[in-house]
Amino acid sequence: MIIITDPSDLTIEQVTVTNDVVITTRATSPTASCPCCGTASSRVHSHYQRTLCDLPASGRLVRLVIQVRRFFCEDKTCVRKIFAERFPSLTLPRAKFTLRLQEALQEMGFELGGEAGARLGRKQGYGGES
Ligand SMILES: [Zn+2]
């Protein structure tokens, strides 16, 4: 099973398997580019945790816990002074799902309709309430 789509972006620090699979990761790149001006920065401002739901593994919900860094923008004229690093091969900004989980859920919804897709998703370990 491929856990992370682009392993050059993230390194796995810990995997915990209980009822769910929780994969703790962090970025490997020493820099990130400002989403406004594109300037690369290595000056870290702070960190926070971001949790994404991923495709289930053996019927277990998989969560990626990413240690995200906030950087100072190095361009003094940029309107964005601080920005969070992004993972475009993995997810969209502010999304709670990985891209591949979002695609899988959309396909299920289009093929089966809303309620039937939700039932099948729950049976296959995609999370949600019964
Ligand atoms: Zn900038």
Side-chain angles (χ1 to χ4, degrees), residues 43-48 68-72 82-83 85:
R43 290 180 51 219
V44 175
H45 172 272
S46 58
H47 298 81
Y48 69 97
V68 180
R69 298 169 293 180
R70 288 189 187 98
F71 289 87
F72 291 102
I82 297 166
F83 64 91
E85 61 188 332

Side-chain angles (χ1 to χ4, degrees), residues 32-39 78 80 82-86:
S33 295
C34 173
C36 286
C37 67
T39 302
C78 182
R80 180 82 57 100
I82 297 166
F83 64 91
E85 61 188 332
R86 296 184 176 190

Side-chain angles (χ1 to χ4, degrees), residues 10-94:
L10 298 168
T11 184
I12 297 173
E13 295 193 319
Q14 183 179 10
V15 177
T16 305
V17 180
T18 54
N19 291 333
D20 300 341
V21 178
V22 178
I23 302 168
T24 304
T25 66
R26 66 176 171 78
T28 54
S29 171
T31 63
S33 295
C34 173
C36 286
C37 67
T39 302
S41 175
S42 59
R43 290 180 51 219
V44 175
H45 172 272
S46 58
H47 298 81
Y48 69 97
Q49 280 191 348
R50 180 174 177 193
T51 302
L52 300 173
C53 289
D54 198 6
L55 290 174
S58 301
R60 293 173 196 252
L61 189 66
V62 175
R63 290 191 177 91
L64 298 179
V65 178
I66 306 173
Q67 304 296 320
V68 180
R69 298 169 293 180
R70 288 189 187 98
F71 289 87
F72 291 102
C73 181
E74 306 256 0
D75 183 343
K76 303 282 185 228
T77 63
C78 182
V79 294
R80 180 82 57 100
K81 302 301 177 203
I82 297 166
F83 64 91
E85 61 188 332
R86 296 184 176 190
F87 307 98
S89 64
L90 184 65
T91 189
L92 297 171
R94 297 178 189 83

